[in-house]
Amino acid sequence: IFINGVKFLVKKNVSILECCKLLGYTIPRFCYHSSLSVAGNCRMCLIELTGSEKPVVSCLTEIDAFMKIWLNTPLVKKARENVVETLLINHPLDCPICDQAGECDLQDQSKIFGIDRSRHFFSKTPSEDKYCGPLIKTIMTRCIHCTRCVRFCDEIAGISYFGTLNRGGSTEIGTYLEKVFISEISSNVVDLCPVGALTFKTQAFKERPWELKILNSIDTTDSLGS
């Protein structure tokens, strides 16, 4: 295959996003996660493919022989700007008070791939916060509907807790029935959330990410050795 005009020899049955990741090329994404199934609904990972009239979703498209991929063309940059602008339409300006600030994917990608203005002048669509138990704090107006939490519950936790409600501009993540998220690994869903929609209740407004130190350790409170 050819990426930005450079020839590479790669294996079959790999998506364009995974292939570029292995080769050292960065493609922005929100919904994709290596431990979850591929949803392809955020449309942030769009790339240009020779022979295709429209941008292609790289996390869903498998590589093919002699495929010519372009990652930074004007078409791709404009598509990413439009996606970021669309995600920010209903996203509140909570960055100064958000616990995710400093490690937020939407913050980072808005600065790198977004634009410095908004054409949206309507009222934002509100979403009701959900009660998930004593550990998970929800502020659903920040949700960008990447469905990482939905796939985590179904595929890893083994509990059909979160799900998508409604359609189009009225889409929101909900629990169908009001109940507590009961699972040994329920709090791990907070680390999967790319924005500040899911945060820790126990750590709310206590510290910022840049004030913390990363240490390798083993969790002694569960039987999984995580």
Side-chain angles (χ1 to χ4, degrees):
I1 63 170
F2 296 87
I3 301 178
N4 292 341
V6 182
K7 185 178 180 180
F8 293 97
L9 184 63
V10 295
K11 295 181 179 180
K12 294 182 179 179
N13 303 323
V14 179
S15 68
I16 295 176
L17 190 147
E18 292 172 338
C19 179
C20 291
K21 180 181 177 182
L22 293 173
L23 295 174
Y25 291 93
T26 301
I27 297 180
R29 69 272 192 169
F30 289 113
C31 66
Y32 173 83
H33 195 279
S34 57
S35 300
L36 302 173
S37 61
V38 180
N41 54 4
C42 75
R43 289 301 190 261
M44 192 64 195
C45 64
L46 293 173
I47 51 96
E48 185 175 354
L49 207 60
T50 301
S52 177
E53 297 181 358
K54 299 179 180 180
V56 175
V57 182
S58 62
C59 66
L60 285 172
T61 308
E62 289 191 357
I63 59 172
D64 198 5
F66 303 105
M67 180 180 280
K68 294 184 179 180
I69 303 165
W70 305 93
L71 304 179
N72 297 309
T73 62
L75 176 67
V76 174
K77 291 181 180 179
K78 184 62 179 176
R80 290 172 180 169
E81 289 178 359
N82 291 339
V83 170
V84 171
E85 185 179 10
T86 303
L87 291 176
L88 293 177
I89 283 178
N90 289 314
H91 197 83
L93 188 57
D94 284 352
C95 298
I97 61 168
C98 180
D99 287 311
Q100 189 79 358
E103 55 181 358
C104 175
D105 289 350
L106 187 58
Q107 265 187 343
D108 298 338
Q109 297 188 31
S110 295
K111 180 175 177 58
I112 298 172
F113 303 105
I115 54 178
D116 59 354
R117 64 187 62 87
S118 173
R119 294 173 290 179
H120 184 73
F121 52 87
F122 299 102
S123 299
K124 295 180 181 292
T125 303
S127 295
E128 185 179 353
D129 294 343
K130 311 299 187 293
Y131 178 73
C132 301
L135 299 176
I136 303 174
K137 176 184 176 182
T138 63
I139 303 180
M140 302 312 292
T141 52
R142 301 172 184 169
C143 180
I144 60 172
H145 313 124
C146 68
T147 68
R148 280 189 182 184
C149 56
V150 178
R151 287 172 283 151
F152 172 85
C153 294
D154 292 340
E155 300 167 14
I156 297 180
I159 300 174
S160 296
Y161 184 74
F162 286 115
T164 52
L165 309 173
N166 307 322
R167 298 183 61 146
S170 301
T171 300
E172 63 177 293
I173 301 295
T175 58
Y176 303 120
L177 300 174
E178 291 188 8
K179 56 182 180 180
V180 178
F181 190 0
I182 301 176
S183 173
E184 296 88 346
I185 54 175
S186 60
S187 296
N188 289 358
V189 74
V190 173
D191 292 325
L192 274 178
C193 184
V195 293
L198 303 178
T199 55
F200 290 108
K201 280 186 178 179
T202 56
Q203 299 298 318
F205 308 120
K206 289 187 177 180
E207 70 276 317
R208 287 298 195 179
W210 55 83
E211 298 172 346
L212 304 176
K213 293 182 179 179
I214 299 176
L215 297 174
N216 293 322
S217 63
I218 298 176
D219 189 355
T220 59
T221 61
D222 64 23
S223 59
L224 304 176
S226 58

